Structures are given as structure tokens and as C-alpha cells.
Amino acid sequence: MLITNVDPITFEVLSHRIQQITREMGITLERTGGTVTTTQQHDYNASLYRPDGEIMAAGETYGHHVVCAGYAVKRILERFGRDEIYPDDIFLLNDPYLAAIHNPDVYIISPIHCQNVLVGWSATFVHVSDVGAMTPGGDSPEATEIFQEGIRIPGIKLVERGKLRRDVFDTITHMTRQPEAVGLDLKCEIAANNVAKARVQSMYEQYGPELMNAVSSQLIHYTETILRNRIREIPDGSWTETLTIEADGDCRLFLTLKKEGDHLVFDFTGTDRQVRKGINLPFHGTFGFCFGAVLYSLAYDLPKNHGVLRPMEVIAPKGTIVHVQYPGPISMSTTSSGFGVGFLASSVLMQMLATSEKWKREIVAPQASHRNCRHSGVNQYGRYSPFINMAHGALDGNGARVNSDGVDSGGSYMSCPNVEWMELHYPLLYLFRRHATDSAGAGKFRGGAGVESAHMLHDAPEGKIRGVAFGVAGLRNSGHGMFGGYPGAPSIMVLLAKTKANSLVEANRPPVDLAEIGGEPRVLPYCNFELSKDDVLYMRVASGGGYGDPLEREPELVRSDVINGLVSREGARDIYGVVLNGDSTQVDLAATQRQRKKIREAELR
């Protein structure tokens, strides 16, 4: 019996239950995993798919991985065919030319059967600790082709009819620098898929496959219908944006958004050719980042499923940075061109929303994300450990809105590991982690302030550890300002050599002032480097752009920002035109009026 319409109450109950399964998958990943990316940063995917690979539901995860996991399901279907996919099989895939974004993104895909009929799939992804690339951890600035970036698996059975293939498992983990950690990553993914399979099978057995298939189909139709209606409410038009990443020279990304009726076309024609540096992005990653931008703007309150994809088209010419061709390197793509595509897509969508009286209140000034760092070396317990240092990375400042400030250290869905956890597990000492003064884009409503942090070695047996600098590089990349708002400060990573930090610690003086710490500064591009004794690594994430004229900001709000260390007294005076009295407790209104008049006259000249 084919069910074409589900009553509203049944639909609400069952659709929310499906969504809850994806949340339980994420909880399982966190509780059974043991690496920093999974348990602390929540850098994972947990989602469900229909039998053909269409997105059924997604948990709390980046949108681009939801799309890429769907590609992984389709690749497994193509590779094995339904005749070779048995109940209780589990597959593994991490090939960036097929579905993953880079090799450390290992997708574990599990078919879900009910009465021996394939009714759906569960899919997880974890950024594993190591993949045997030329650089520990997998982000390889010196790689010039995919062969140097670690193991690459186009799809293999990891579990066959419920039994772990120990030969396959051991082969994969033993090609890495951390077989125990990678093995734990894979096992937590298997656990999450097993939970999903049990919960979905229980629903199918309780309600029947006809009703469940109807619910999942209607869920997708619900999202698609509302999204198309929203797009239709916005005037037709075309909008463009560019971004330059400083990698193998200046690498330019270009995007045009065309909106007609209820259809969106993201056209990357004009983007530079792929380069011999691992910032290149596979097409499915480009599609995924565009999906994420639509999800977080027009579809922010809709169920995350295939209905978001249906009104979208993505054009990415082959051989460009956003559609890499074999064997171009891709190891740093997620946090460089990937986040760059997300920024471009968000920017053109915000331009589009600004043309609509109804939707312009949803505008958020976008920003181009941040630099990242990965370390490797012997830790304080004598064990070799490659690890990503994200004790700051999820603390970007969000952009301002049309009626409110951006969120300070608002970040993304990823969590930021606490400093104590990082210091407990790795040979590091954090000197500070705080909001960066004068980093937020000024405006009538200012952007959110990003975080700056600094760390050095502590209890490192070898007196040094390796480092890898990656992430969106370029001093021109920051949070956009809108309608007169200023851009936020860009993300930056600086290695300070031969500092006074250890001397200050020995003198019982906290090394929290960069001028006092001193040292020989070197701004780090995409590169490998070494962190040695007396070196300090300083990192600042991106801050959000402002909205509106800074001279129209309420003086009391500026005063509050000064008191909280988000704006300096000089910034208050020179940018916002707000003059404070000697102790910063009150605004000098007369002096403020004169200062704002002076700034306005200078602008007009």
C-alpha cells in the first residue's frame, strides 16, 4: 500500500523522532570517541539517508559534510550494487575525489534493512587523528599531489554481515602514525551507526515501511516547499563576490549568485585554476558549502534534508580551485577554499536578502573564517601525538545584524576545547585566551569580537614540537562590513621566536602582554614550522563586520565596550567619535558631539 499523505500529528511525531535519532548518533560519537576533534570540538557528522542517498535528516553538524556523506552513500551503491550490500554491512570511504573533502574525513556508511529490504542509510564522519600523509595529522602544506596526502580508500567493507573485518581494520590503522587513536575514531563511528540502525529499524517495525517512507518523503517535500516559497518572495537578480587566498601566490575565488523565481544558481566561473598547494576543493565540497550557506540563511529553521538541495544549482568549472581534478592536492581544502566558498555563498545570499523588505532583517555580516594550527611530537607522557590545536578556532566573532551587535566569540557549531583539557593532554602552556581589543568591525551595530590566544611549550621531553599552519590565509580576509559598517580584523598566526615568556614565568610575572613577551615575529603562511623553547605561537581568529555608520552607535554602548576591553579608548575616540572622561566611567557628551562632527567633516572632504 502506497501512502501519499500522512496526517499532521503522525507526521510531527515521527519526523521529530527521526531527527532525534541523528542527535543520538552525535551523542554516541562523543561518548565513545576519545580524540580531541570528536569529544572536544564536535568535528563530526551524523545523518540519515533514504535508500537512494537523498538526505533524510541531519544532526548538529556542518552542512557540507551532510552533502558529502550523501555522495558517499551513492558511491557505495555504485561500487557494490544492491546485490552485494547485505544487512549489517558497514562501509568505509575517504577518497576526496569521490565523496570526502580531504583524506582525514573518514566516512562510515551503514545500510539499514527492514525484513531484508534496504530502507535507508546512516552515515557518520570523524576527522581522524592521522592518515599517514607526509605531514602528521594530514594537513600537508608541502604536498603537490594527492599521493602525498595519506591513505585514500574509494569504498571498502569494514564490517561484513555484522562481523568486523579485522584484516581491513588493522591494515587501515597500521598505515597511520596513531593506530590506537584512529582505531578509536573508527569504532566510535561504528557505534553511532549501530545506534542509528537499531532506532530506525525499530520505527520501521513499529509503524511499517509504507508509513515511514511516506514520512521521510513528506519531510523532504515540506522543506523544499517552504524554501522555494521563501526564495520566490525575493526579487530576481544577480550578485557577485570575490575572495583571495594567499597560498600558491594569490588564489582568487569568484562567485555569482543568480536568482530567478524559486531557483538559485551558484556560479563559480572566473575562479582561478587549481594550484599545487592543497587548498583545492572537490566539487561535492563546493556544493556542500553552498548548501550550508542556504541552510544557515534562508532555511535556518527548516529540517535539514534533501529539500534544501532541490532549489539549488552549483556551477564549478573543472580544473579550478573549487572543482579540483586528479591528482591535485586537497589536504587543506576544508579550512581554506572550503570556508572561502562558504563565505562567498553567504555574502551573495546576504546581498540578495538585502533587496527584500521582508528578508533584510535576517542579514548577518559574513566573515571568512580563520587560521588553524596542528602540532605533533612527544607529549609529557612520552607518547607521540599529532593533534589539532583548536583552543581558539571555534571562537570567531559573528557579524552584526540590522538591529543588534554580532556575538562575541560566537564561533560555529564546533565547540572550543577548554585550555585545561589541552594542557592536560599535550605539552603546551597557554599564556592567554581572550577577546582581541579593537578587532570587531565598527558600526552602528558592531561585529562580534574574535579571540586571540598564545601558547608555548611546557614539559615537552624533546624540547620542541612540529607545527603546521593552515586555514584561510590573507590579511584582506575578514568579516565584511555592511551599509557603512567596518570590516572585522582578519585572522592571523604569528610565530614569536626567542621571547621573554619563560623568563617572565620564572619571575612569577604572567606573560600576557605581547609587547613585554617580545620576540622575533614571523607571520606564518601555509607552512610547516617548529615550536621550540622560548618560542610563542600567537593566533587571532577572524572578527565580525559591523552594520551601519559607527558614528551612529549609542555612546553608552561604546563606553560599555571600552570597560569590557573590546574597544580601546583610542578606538572609541577615533572610530566611534566617543570621548570618555579620565576614568572611563562617563561619556563626555559635549566633547563627543564635537569629535563626531570633526570626523564627519573629514569624511565629507
Side-chain angles (χ1 to χ4, degrees):
M1 180 181 67
L2 179 64
I3 299 176
T4 58
N5 192 32
V6 183
D7 72 87
I9 294 177
T10 301
F11 175 74
E12 283 293 310
V13 172
L14 298 188
S15 62
H16 279 79
R17 188 167 167 183
I18 290 172
Q19 187 68 38
Q20 186 61 32
I21 292 172
T22 64
R23 293 176 62 88
E24 189 176 358
M25 291 171 68
I27 293 170
T28 304
L29 286 169
E30 293 178 32
R31 291 185 175 178
T32 58
T35 56
V36 61
T37 51
T38 305
T39 63
Q40 295 290 308
Q41 295 164 210
H42 305 169
D43 188 4
Y44 57 70
N45 172 71
S47 45
L48 296 172
Y49 298 83
R50 286 167 59 82
D52 60 356
E54 285 195 336
I55 305 164
M56 185 191 305
E60 296 175 356
T61 181
Y62 271 136
H64 52 272
H65 285 302
V66 176
V67 171
C68 292
Y71 273 86
V73 171
K74 293 177 181 179
R75 299 303 182 231
I76 295 299
L77 282 166
E78 293 169 0
R79 185 172 179 83
F80 290 88
R82 298 204 178 201
D83 292 341
E84 293 186 44
I85 297 173
Y86 306 112
D88 300 326
D89 281 352
I90 296 181
F91 299 85
L92 182 149
L93 183 152
N94 81 321
D95 190 336
Y97 286 96
L98 295 179
I101 299 181
H102 59 170
N103 301 44
D105 292 350
V106 176
Y107 291 87
I108 299 292
I109 314 296
S110 177
I112 302 173
H113 290 80
C114 181
Q115 298 176 359
N116 290 320
V117 175
L118 181 66
V119 296
W121 298 80
S122 65
T124 58
F125 129 80
V126 163
H127 184 117
V128 301
S129 304
D130 188 70
V131 287
M134 64 186 299
T135 301
D139 299 287
S140 304
E142 295 178 359
T144 59
E145 54 187 8
I146 187 69
F147 310 112
Q148 300 163 317
E149 296 180 319
I151 56 177
R152 184 164 57 98
I153 301 171
I156 195 169
K157 283 190 182 183
L158 184 62
V159 175
E160 189 163 21
R161 305 193 190 198
K163 185 176 181 180
L164 178 68
R165 295 187 61 184
R166 176 60 63 179
D167 56 342
V168 173
F169 186 89
D170 290 346
T171 299
I172 293 170
T173 58
H174 279 67
M175 286 190 287
T176 73
R177 295 174 177 86
Q178 279 196 299
E180 297 86 1
V182 173
L184 184 57
D185 288 331
L186 300 183
K187 288 177 180 178
C188 79
E189 291 193 70
I190 292 172
N193 278 278
N194 285 341
V195 166
K197 180 173 63 177
R199 300 294 183 266
V200 172
Q201 286 176 336
S202 175
M203 290 187 70
Y204 270 79
E205 290 167 2
Q206 181 176 356
Y207 299 102
E210 293 83 7
L211 178 58
M212 289 301 302
N213 289 333
V215 169
S216 65
S217 177
Q218 190 168 320
L219 189 58
I220 293 171
H221 178 71
Y222 170 81
T223 294
E224 178 187 2
T225 300
I226 294 179
L227 180 56
R228 287 191 183 277
N229 288 339
R230 290 176 177 180
I231 297 172
R232 213 176 279 118
E233 293 172 343
I234 301 169
D236 291 350
S238 176
W239 304 269
T240 63
E241 185 61 271
T242 62
L243 176 75
T244 299
I245 300 174
E246 296 172 7
D248 189 11
D250 284 351
C251 303
R252 179 173 177 264
L253 280 67
F254 185 87
L255 172 61
T256 300
L257 170 65
K258 300 173 184 176
K259 184 268 169 186
E260 184 174 348
D262 61 0
H263 191 61
L264 300 175
V265 179
F266 295 87
D267 187 352
F268 289 88
T269 300
T271 294
D272 285 351
R273 303 294 296 176
Q274 66 186 63
V275 294
R276 288 172 60 83
K277 182 77 76 173
I279 67 165
N280 305 297
L281 190 67
F283 175 78
H284 44 266
T286 297
F287 206 124
F289 278 99
C290 291
F291 169 86
V294 174
L295 193 66
Y296 307 139
S297 55
L298 282 166
Y300 59 91
D301 58 345
L302 299 179
K304 289 186 278 190
N305 58 47
H306 215 81
V308 178
L309 283 179
R310 289 179 176 173
M312 293 174 51
E313 179 184 351
V314 176
I315 300 172
K318 291 183 177 180
T320 62
I321 295 173
V322 294
H323 193 164
V324 63
Q325 297 297 289
Y326 180 84
I330 44 71
S331 63
M332 300 180 295
S333 60
T334 305
T335 55
S336 52
S337 53
F339 285 170
V341 166
F343 163 76
L344 292 176
S346 295
S347 182
V348 292
L349 284 167
M350 292 303 113
Q351 294 178 46
M352 181 186 76
L353 296 184
T355 66
S356 167
E357 285 299 316
K358 176 179 179 179
W359 284 96
K360 68 180 182 181
R361 67 175 182 270
E362 299 295 338
I363 291 175
V364 179
Q367 50 102 329
S369 196
H370 54 262
R371 305 303 313 282
N372 279 337
C373 172
R374 182 179 290 279
H375 286 306
S376 61
V378 178
N379 67 13
Q380 58 267 53
Y381 309 108
R383 295 193 297 268
Y384 178 80
S385 177
F387 62 95
I388 190 168
N389 180 7
M390 289 285 284
H392 75 299
L395 297 177
D396 309 57
N398 293 146
R401 302 177 65 109
V402 295
N403 56 5
S404 63
D405 291 345
V407 179
D408 299 325
S409 57
S412 63
Y413 89 95
M414 291 175 64
S415 295
C416 184
N418 66 64
V419 164
E420 289 78 10
W421 193 96
M422 295 292 291
E423 291 178 338
L424 175 65
H425 289 83
Y426 306 118
L428 301 177
L429 174 67
Y430 284 84
L431 310 184
F432 57 78
R433 187 172 75 181
R434 62 199 179 197
H435 287 125
T437 303
D438 289 333
S439 63
K444 179 178 181 179
F445 299 104
R446 65 163 176 81
V451 160
E452 62 178 2
S453 68
H455 65 268
M456 64 180 185
L457 289 183
H458 177 68
D459 199 13
E462 296 183 343
K464 62 182 180 180
I465 58 175
R466 296 178 64 177
V468 182
F470 59 107
V472 180
L475 296 179
R476 289 170 288 179
N477 296 335
S478 65
H480 265 24
M482 297 193 300
F483 296 97
Y486 287 17
S491 181
I492 192 170
M493 186 183 306
V494 181
L495 181 64
L496 303 169
K498 302 177 182 178
T499 70
K500 301 176 182 177
N502 278 303
S503 299
L504 292 170
V505 171
E506 291 170 1
N508 203 28
R509 292 169 56 189
V512 295
D513 181 80
L514 287 175
E516 190 175 17
I517 291 170
E520 302 169 1
R522 177 164 68 99
V523 177
L524 298 179
Y526 292 92
C527 68
N528 294 310
F529 65 94
E530 191 174 88
L531 187 68
S532 305
K533 186 177 183 295
D534 293 328
D535 291 348
V536 169
L537 187 65
Y538 170 81
M539 294 186 284
R540 184 185 68 208
V541 301
S543 294
Y547 183 98
D549 189 343
L551 297 181
E552 296 179 8
R553 185 166 176 79
E554 288 292 333
E556 282 299 317
L557 294 177
V558 179
R559 169 182 167 272
S560 176
D561 287 342
V562 172
I563 292 173
N564 291 324
L566 301 178
V567 175
S568 66
R569 291 173 63 89
E570 295 76 17
R573 180 192 65 227
D574 298 339
I575 297 176
Y576 291 100
V578 173
V579 180
L580 304 176
N581 62 16
D583 58 4
S584 300
T585 58
Q586 289 184 345
V587 176
D588 187 330
L589 291 178
T592 294
Q593 290 176 352
R594 292 193 298 272
Q595 177 68 3
R596 287 188 163 181
K597 181 179 178 181
K598 177 182 175 182
I599 294 174
R600 182 70 74 204
E601 289 174 349
E603 289 176 344
L604 292 174
R605 287 198 300 272

